[in-house]
Amino acid sequence: MRKSLIAFLRKLKEILVNTFHQYNKRLPYIITLLLALFIVVGGVNLFIELTDTLTTDTLAEYDRVITDYVISYRDPLLTKYFRFVTEVGDLYGYIVVFGIVVIIAGIIYKRWGYVSRIAFVLIMASVSNVILKRFVDRARPGIEHLVSVETLSYPSGHAMSAMAFYGFVMFLFYRFKMNHFLKFLIIFLLGILILSIGLSRIYLGVHFPSDVVGGYLAGFIWVVFCVLVFDIIEIFRRDPST
């Protein structure tokens, strides 16, 4: 993505020079940042449009059928697994995983900027989830809850934060220079973890499947936006022609 951004900035710079002859050299970066903001706003609008289907009978039927299918597999062993997974997608789980990321990204690879970026992504995803929950104001499913919950239902905070946090960690590991097999294994396991956290919320009876899908969508929007913005900021520090 960074190479594509550099190519785009070079082209934009060329167009601005030919058009205005004299211009602020930072203007291409500012325009690109505004385009990134436009992308995330457009993504949020798409997300809001999708929430309009929450009250339809068709979606309600899909939610019911999928939920009934998932909870039909309830047994003590799976319940322990999904309770553990849902804790990994909660506050204390993120504290532990963030500590591991600090060791790997900060201490081993000396990329402390990555640590601050991960923290920013998680905080912004959590804050925006609270705002979205209040905006939609959807109640939790009326079935048995295997864990206690206090907040509203849509979108799933666990699914949204998992996609944003672990999705961004996957992206950073993709950039690390390390053994290819180990890199693939870590990315694969993080992908399984993201899916498991979302599935756990349905299994435990605290979310509709559409809550989880909405959370994944919102979290993915954050990942794409943050990757784009962080790359632009990094490129901003130097002339893209270098």
Side-chain angles (χ1 to χ4, degrees), residues 70-71 73-89 146-147 158 192-206:
V70 171
I71 66 176
Y73 286 92
R74 281 180 175 177
D75 66 50
L77 185 61
L78 270 179
T79 299
K80 288 182 180 179
Y81 170 73
F82 281 123
R83 278 179 171 166
F84 169 76
V85 166
T86 210
E87 288 296 326
V88 175
L146 300 185
V147 292
H158 278 70
I192 295 296
L193 179 60
I194 292 172
L195 293 175
S196 295
I197 289 174
L199 184 59
S200 74
R201 306 307 285 170
I202 303 171
Y203 179 92
L204 298 172
V206 294

Side-chain angles (χ1 to χ4, degrees), residues 21-83:
H21 302 291
Q22 291 184 346
Y23 77 108
N24 188 323
K25 65 180 181 178
R26 293 188 173 185
L27 189 57
Y29 306 100
I30 296 172
I31 292 175
T32 308
L33 284 170
L34 290 175
L35 288 174
L37 181 61
F38 177 79
I39 290 172
V40 76
V41 170
V44 171
N45 284 334
L46 175 61
F47 171 84
I48 293 174
E49 288 293 328
L50 291 176
T51 62
D52 290 340
T53 65
L54 294 178
T55 57
T56 63
D57 293 335
T58 302
L59 184 62
E61 182 62 18
Y62 276 118
D63 277 339
R64 185 191 65 79
V65 171
I66 296 173
T67 299
D68 289 346
Y69 178 78
V70 171
I71 66 176
S72 68
Y73 286 92
R74 281 180 175 177
D75 66 50
L77 185 61
L78 270 179
T79 299
K80 288 182 180 179
Y81 170 73
F82 281 123
R83 278 179 171 166

